[in-house]
Amino acid sequence: MEKKTVEILGVPFYRTTQQQFIDELLQKAENQEKKFVVTANPEIVMSAKKNSQFKETILQADYITADGIGIILAAEKFGLPLNERVTGFDTMVGILEHAAQKNLKIFFLGAKPEVSQALQLVLKENYPQLQVAGCRHGYFSDGESEQIVQEIQKCEPDFIFVALGSPAQENWIVSHYRSFSKGIFMGVGGSFDILSGTAKRAPKIMIKMRLEWLYRIATNPTRWRRFLALPQFLHVVNRERKRKESVNK
């Protein structure tokens, strides 16, 4: 069955719900399939718009989900609403909660060494039955990359979560994807920091009110430049919407 997507500035977003997506990926993993997942926010879409090579990279994904309220707002403006946000963090946690009972193995690649160490402790405490195939921090050279690939191959994990930040995580996955015969590969940005307790996620009320971006600026003001992508993105979306409306008149 063909996947239903909503195209935002040339990027096709998968139309699904958070729980449906978790269930679908678990099923794919049980079937020992190989898939590439991109969880995209406005910053990633703007990067793809400016960089054709990066756009080519993310368009190789089997699934691109709306990890960012700006994507949801854009879909509404185009009159093609998406069901809800489908975030990398919530997808990862949903998989962790069910992986053990389905006998699925997970490899964690990325984040700072201290975050990776903290993550391993949290996984043992909160998911004692989980089969952790490996946990490797993200500070490695290009020369070490092939060694990491071999390590992952030997483990034969069903899920490979890559937290190198964008575009590094998507580029790493695409560069080595052909080396594997199975596995669900997904870039998860700063999710290891949150899961390990090194960083905090916005309160649920702020997420519900679509204000998670504001919380992230308030708690990490040094990253404010990155959030300029949201108003820039919405400006481009409005311009594109008006262009389409004039064409259709």
Side-chain angles (χ1 to χ4, degrees):
M1 186 173 66
E2 186 177 349
K3 297 196 301 291
K4 292 182 178 179
T5 60
V6 172
E7 188 171 305
I8 307 293
L9 302 183
V11 178
F13 284 88
Y14 188 30
R15 203 160 180 267
T16 186
T17 67
Q18 183 66 76
Q19 190 57 54
Q20 286 172 348
F21 191 55
I22 291 167
D23 293 341
E24 183 169 351
L25 291 186
L26 287 167
Q27 185 61 58
K28 298 293 183 186
E30 285 188 283
N31 293 340
Q32 297 197 329
E33 295 183 38
K34 185 171 73 164
K35 299 294 178 183
F36 171 29
V37 180
V38 170
T39 58
N41 56 21
E43 186 180 0
I44 287 178
V45 174
M46 291 303 289
S47 293
K49 187 172 179 59
K50 295 172 184 175
N51 186 324
S52 60
Q53 187 173 354
F54 179 57
K55 183 175 182 179
E56 186 178 327
T57 294
I58 66 171
L59 289 182
Q60 293 181 54
D62 298 285
Y63 303 98
I64 301 176
T65 69
D67 188 345
I69 193 59
I71 304 300
I72 301 299
L73 294 173
E76 291 173 357
K77 287 181 180 291
F78 283 121
L80 299 166
L82 290 157
N83 300 76
E84 60 181 350
R85 287 177 65 201
V86 179
T87 73
F89 180 78
D90 291 318
T91 301
M92 181 180 72
V93 170
I95 287 165
L96 295 182
E97 291 173 349
H98 296 90
Q101 67 190 54
K102 294 179 179 294
N103 201 33
L104 299 171
K105 294 188 292 184
I106 301 180
F107 195 102
F108 299 84
L109 174 64
K112 296 178 181 178
E114 59 269 28
V115 172
S116 183
Q117 290 178 353
L119 176 63
Q120 292 176 62
L121 296 175
V122 168
L123 291 172
K124 287 180 181 178
E125 183 177 345
N126 296 346
Y127 306 95
Q129 304 302 317
L130 182 68
Q131 294 187 64
V132 178
C135 198
R136 173 71 160 77
H137 65 74
Y139 284 67
F140 54 86
S141 65
D142 291 340
E144 294 174 293
S145 201
E146 190 56 41
Q147 181 183 340
I148 293 170
V149 169
Q150 292 175 11
E151 181 183 342
I152 298 173
Q153 287 174 327
K154 289 178 182 177
C155 298
E156 296 187 332
D158 301 287
F159 285 94
I160 302 89
F161 296 129
V162 185
L164 300 176
S166 185
Q169 60 196 20
E170 289 82 21
N171 289 336
W172 190 91
I173 291 171
V174 168
S175 295
H176 303 288
Y177 193 66
R178 292 183 180 179
S179 300
F180 298 90
S181 58
K182 71 163 192 172
I184 310 298
F185 291 77
M186 183 169 77
V188 293
S191 294
F192 293 179
D193 297 69
I194 298 171
L195 187 60
S196 67
T198 308
K200 290 185 177 181
R201 197 179 187 192
K204 289 183 179 179
I205 185 65
M206 292 194 76
I207 295 174
K208 189 174 182 179
M209 293 175 66
R210 299 182 169 186
L211 293 174
E212 187 173 11
W213 62 272
L214 183 60
Y215 177 86
R216 291 170 70 184
I217 293 177
T219 55
N220 193 353
T222 58
R223 299 176 65 192
W224 69 270
R225 289 182 185 276
R226 293 183 59 183
F227 291 94
L228 289 177
L230 179 56
Q232 291 171 354
F233 168 77
L234 292 176
H235 173 71
V236 174
V237 165
N238 278 325
R239 192 174 62 196
E240 179 65 13
R241 178 177 58 83
K242 290 177 181 177
R243 186 191 68 80
K244 286 187 175 182
E245 286 176 352
S246 65
V247 169
N248 294 330
K249 282 183 179 179

